[in-house]
Structure formats: C-alpha cells, structure tokens
Amino acid sequence: MRRVIIAGNWKMNGTIVETENLIGALLAGESENDKATVVVCPPFVSLSRASELLNGTHIAWGGQDMSEHVKGAYTGEISAEMLLTVGATYVIVGHSERRQYHAETDDLVNAKAKYALASGLIPIICVGEMLEEREADRTEEVVGTQVMGTLSGFSAADLSKIVIAYEPVWAIGTGKTATPEMAEAVHSFIRKKAAAVDAAAAEEIPILYGGSVKPDNAERLLAQPNIDGALIGGASLKADDFIAIIRAV
Ligand code: PEP
C-alpha cells in the first residue's frame, strides 16, 4: 500500500505572522487523518516558526528548495543542514518555477535530490512538460528524460525514500487541470520509467499530482490508481481548501 501525501507549496507567500495564522487555521480545522501524510512547505524565513507550531502535531514540514552544496559562498542558498536544524523532513527539488526562472537542469535536480537523501531529507522531485511540449505530443519524451535524469545513479534503496510530483507546467496556477485520465496516464508512465531502476521500489514511490488541484477536482484525481497524493500551490494557502483536499483522500 503506497503512502498518500498531501503537500502544500506556499511559494513566496506569507510573512511570519501570516504563516502563524495559516498554521493556526490548519491545526484548528483538521484533525489527524490516518489516510494521508500532510506536509507544508512555507517560505524559508517562516520555517523556524512553523517548526515551533507544528512540532508534535500530525503535519510535517519541508523546504521549497535546497542547495546541492554542503555550505559556503553561495549567496541566497539554503543547505540541507539548515533545513534539518528546523526539523524539516521533506524538500521540494526541481519545481518547474526553479527550472524556468533559475535554469535548473535535471543534473542539478539530481545532485540536490542525492544530497537531500544523503542528509536524511525526503526529496519531492518535480517533473512536468510545458504546454507546447504536450501539444507537440512530446509529454512522454520530456517527462521520461526528466525522470531518468533526476534519478540517475539512484539505488533501489534511494528510490524507496523519494517522492515524485508530476506537475504539468501548463496546469500550475492557471486553473487548468489535467483530467484524471491524462494525469493517470503520465503517472503510470513515470512509474514504468522508475521501474527501470528497480521494479519493486518503483511500485512503492508516492507519485503526487500537481497543477490547479482544488477541492472540487481532488477526489477524482486522487481516485486514480497511480495518483498517490497532491502537491498543491494556490489552494494550500487557503486553510479551508487545503483541508477539503485532505478530506478528499
Ligand atoms: C505548484 O506550483 O506546485 C502547484 C501545483 O501550484 P497550483 O496548485 O497553484 O497550480
């Protein structure tokens, strides 16, 4: 039985006070759910406060990115160790906004994911095609290359500790969602690609869908056999919506 994960990526939204309010609303509104692991990824500046508020609750927390380097002269970067010191257990790597606006490549995402694993963090590795790639019928080629590139050098033991998020770029923040059938087809394809590394471990990887997941489409997406949860942007900033999505599991 694969783990179901509902993860919120808050992106560059919220001051520390707003983080406190959102976490307060999540804790007040949602009791423990044995069907899903719930994770929130606040901005780095808020992580320390988030850890104080979430410590001992059923909600885990993580970073939105991390450096592939241990430490040193990398202005603006955050290391795995820094995430660990605020109790983070997850880290998103290779989000399409990092790939698009910071030119992150599969090699870099691979290095980040490997270093996250070596540090004891669970990487949520994001992949997904752009609109023009889908329209040119290149989804499998693009996503397949991303999966093989970001998982390069991984062992079966590594695969058993990762999470993959399929996020079609054209569906992120646009209100356009892949239909459950479209998403399921890509999720099943991703699992087959990961099976080239290790078939048994690939079966157990939680593969999350991301891209305009909302309370009204979550249930149908999450009902698909290879959709093991969701990575949520916009709707994770509204406590009621995020809670409704968790309840849809
Ligand atoms: C995301 O950026 O990870 C995301 C899925 O955003 P949204 O839910 O807003 O489309």
Side-chain angles (χ1 to χ4, degrees):
M1 186 71 176
R2 287 193 290 267
R3 249 175 337 130
V4 174
I5 299 171
I6 301 295
N9 174 11
W10 295 1
K11 308 194 183 184
M12 196 174 72
N13 292 296
T15 59
I16 292 178
V17 170
E18 285 163 331
T19 292
E20 287 172 345
N21 292 341
L22 183 47
I23 288 176
L26 288 178
L27 292 175
E30 187 223 340
S31 55
E32 191 145 0
N33 180 328
D34 58 4
K35 293 194 195 130
T37 298
V38 180
V39 184
V40 294
C41 298
F44 290 132
V45 169
S46 297
L47 267 176
S48 176
R49 183 69 185 123
S51 77
E52 290 167 359
L53 297 169
L54 293 173
N55 199 11
T57 74
H58 59 287
I59 301 181
W61 58 99
Q64 297 175 12
D65 183 36
M66 61 168 258
S67 171
E68 74 280 24
H69 300 290
V70 180
K71 66 192 290 192
Y74 301 102
T75 303
E77 298 283 331
I78 299 288
S79 72
E81 187 187 8
M82 293 170 189
L83 291 176
L84 290 168
T85 58
V86 291
T89 43
Y90 291 81
V91 60
I92 299 170
V93 291
H95 190 278
S96 64
E97 285 150 17
R98 300 294 313 173
R99 293 174 183 263
Q100 244 182 311
Y101 307 137
H102 301 273
E104 294 202 1
T105 61
D106 290 334
D107 283 350
L108 179 62
V109 178
N110 174 254
K112 290 184 178 195
K114 277 185 180 150
Y115 188 42
L117 283 173
S119 308
L121 289 163
I122 300 169
I124 302 177
I125 303 171
C126 302
V127 297
E129 81 287 1
M130 314 271 283
L131 182 59
E132 53 278 21
E133 292 164 340
R134 175 162 282 269
E135 286 176 347
D137 212 12
R138 293 184 51 224
T139 299
E140 290 199 350
E141 174 202 331
V142 170
V143 173
T145 303
Q146 291 174 337
V147 170
M148 295 322 281
T150 53
L151 300 188
S152 170
F154 277 41
S155 64
D158 293 334
L159 277 201
S160 70
K161 292 183 211 131
I162 65 166
V163 176
I164 295 178
Y166 168 58
E167 300 205 302
V169 181
W170 49 270
I172 295 179
T174 58
K176 289 185 195 149
T177 323
T179 63
E181 295 72 24
M182 279 158 86
E184 169 61 21
V186 184
H187 281 230
S188 142
F189 170 77
I190 290 171
R191 202 175 299 288
K192 280 199 198 102
K193 288 303 253 185
V197 180
D198 186 275
E203 261 318 297
E204 300 304 318
I205 300 175
I207 306 181
L208 317 185
Y209 171 78
S212 298
V213 176
K214 308 279 178 221
D216 61 359
N217 58 23
E219 196 170 334
R220 288 200 323 122
L221 285 159
L222 294 169
Q224 299 297 313
N226 283 289
I227 300 184
D228 311 306
L231 180 56
I232 301 152
S236 71
L237 295 170
K238 295 179 198 141
D240 288 351
D241 285 1
F242 194 58
I243 290 166
I245 294 169
I246 296 164
R247 290 196 178 135
V249 172

